């Protein structure tokens, strides 16, 4: 994996944690987005741990270009964004740019390791509490919740798929959704796949953002 942060001490700390894991290899480091893009092209990391606020090319633009440039190839790095939350107000843009999820910089080491393994496996990280707090912060920029229950873009979903989308937006895992709906995880995976395909979404992170953008989920509804 590739570590991207403009603070050398943070990169050293992350490297120390990650290299203690037998299944994680740090192939490089970068102190800004421009170098991160060069390193990504040269080293082909599976995961990029990306800071947002950096001098020069920031993490959003770096994420966008890393994902876009790699998209035509067989190897597209998964970008896991880091944020201090209170200072960064561009995390949604990072997700739109192609990030597979985000974490706070004070994330416990075990959660960091687990998140890296999850995105490396092709899934996305959506921390429910952080997602809700973050999107609440954007409430004034999002469409009004006082609209039809099912926005036009979501009409192509069945009632069950719409229900699954709402639960995804709450940050529930497949296992939690299965328990909520009293169905098997295999059935949930099928519904999730159908939702993503019908809406043209890349992953669960984009599904969460879309749910708020369309007003399907009201900011603060799960606080």
């Amino acid at each position: 994996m590739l570590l991207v942060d403009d603070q050398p001490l943070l990169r050293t700390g992350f490297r120390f944690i990650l290299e203690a894991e037998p299944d994680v290899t740090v192939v490089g480091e970068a102190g800004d987005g421009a170098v991160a893009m060069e390193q990504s092209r040269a080293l082909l990391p599976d995961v990029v741990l990306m800071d947002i606020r950096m001098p020069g090319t920031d993490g959003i633009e770096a994420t966008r270009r890393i994902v876009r440039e790699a998209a035509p190839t067989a190897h597209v790095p998964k970008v896991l964004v880091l944020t201090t939350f209170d200072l960064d107000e561009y995390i949604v843009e990072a997700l739109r740019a192609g990030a597979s999820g985000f974490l706070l910089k004070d994330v416990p080491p075990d959660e960091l390791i687990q998140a890296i393994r999850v995105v490396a496996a092709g899934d996305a990280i959506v921390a429910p509490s952080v997602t809700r707090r973050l999107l609440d912060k954007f409430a004034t920029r999002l469409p009004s919740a006082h609209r039809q229950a099912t926005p036009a873009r979501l009409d192509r979903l069945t009632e069950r798929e719409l229900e699954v989308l709402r639960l995804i937006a709450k940050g529930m895992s497949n296992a939690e959704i299965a328990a909520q709906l009293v169905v098997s995880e295999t059935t949930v995976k099928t519904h999730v796949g159908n939702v993503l395909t019908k809406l043209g979404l890349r992953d669960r992170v984009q599904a969460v953002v879309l749910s708020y953008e369309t007003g399907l989920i009201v900011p603060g509804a799960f606080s």
Side-chain angles (χ1 to χ4, degrees):
M1 72 171 302
L2 176 65
L3 301 178
V4 184
D5 196 293
D6 63 335
Q7 300 183 50
L9 283 178
L10 277 178
R11 296 201 306 271
T12 299
F14 285 133
R15 179 183 281 272
F16 178 79
I17 292 169
L18 297 175
E19 290 188 334
E21 300 298 317
D23 58 340
V24 179
T25 301
V26 177
V27 297
E29 297 182 18
D32 61 62
V35 175
M37 291 183 286
E38 295 175 2
Q39 293 277 56
S40 181
R41 285 192 292 267
L43 301 173
L44 301 177
D46 293 318
V47 178
V48 179
L49 197 61
M50 179 76 74
D51 186 20
I52 284 286
R53 298 169 65 90
M54 296 180 291
T57 303
D58 65 19
I60 296 173
E61 180 60 22
T63 295
R64 182 179 294 111
R65 292 175 63 178
I66 287 173
V67 173
R68 180 185 300 161
E69 290 178 9
T73 71
H75 184 85
V76 180
K78 304 297 189 299
V79 180
L80 186 57
V81 170
L82 293 173
T83 176
T84 53
F85 181 72
D86 289 332
L87 297 178
D88 298 331
E89 296 188 347
Y90 304 106
I91 200 71
V92 171
E93 291 304 317
L95 299 178
R96 289 182 180 136
S100 293
F102 64 92
L103 298 173
L104 300 183
K105 281 190 175 180
D106 60 357
V107 62
D110 58 332
E111 292 184 19
L112 172 63
I113 296 296
Q114 180 59 24
I116 290 170
R117 289 174 177 147
V118 167
V119 298
D123 208 339
I125 288 295
V126 180
S129 60
V130 178
T131 301
R132 293 196 294 270
R133 288 169 56 200
L134 176 65
L135 291 172
D136 285 348
K137 195 170 186 177
F138 282 86
T140 58
R141 305 184 192 180
L142 295 172
S144 172
H146 301 292
R147 58 171 67 194
Q148 59 183 10
T150 305
R153 184 177 177 185
L154 305 182
D155 282 346
R156 65 198 73 172
L157 301 182
T158 66
E159 283 300 318
R160 178 45 64 95
E161 289 166 353
L162 199 60
E163 187 174 14
V164 168
L165 177 57
R166 288 192 179 97
L167 297 178
I168 290 173
K170 290 179 64 175
M172 285 189 173
S173 66
N174 284 352
E176 291 169 333
I177 294 174
Q180 174 87 6
L181 301 180
V182 195
V183 296
S184 69
E185 282 193 55
T186 300
T187 298
V188 172
K189 288 180 182 178
T190 299
H191 287 317
V192 172
N194 289 341
V195 168
L196 299 182
T197 299
K198 288 182 178 182
L199 298 179
L201 303 174
R202 186 187 62 251
D203 54 37
R204 299 167 78 102
V205 174
Q206 289 191 336
V208 172
V209 174
L210 177 68
S211 297
Y212 279 83
E213 288 183 325
T214 58
L216 179 67
I217 298 298
V218 180
F222 305 116
S223 58

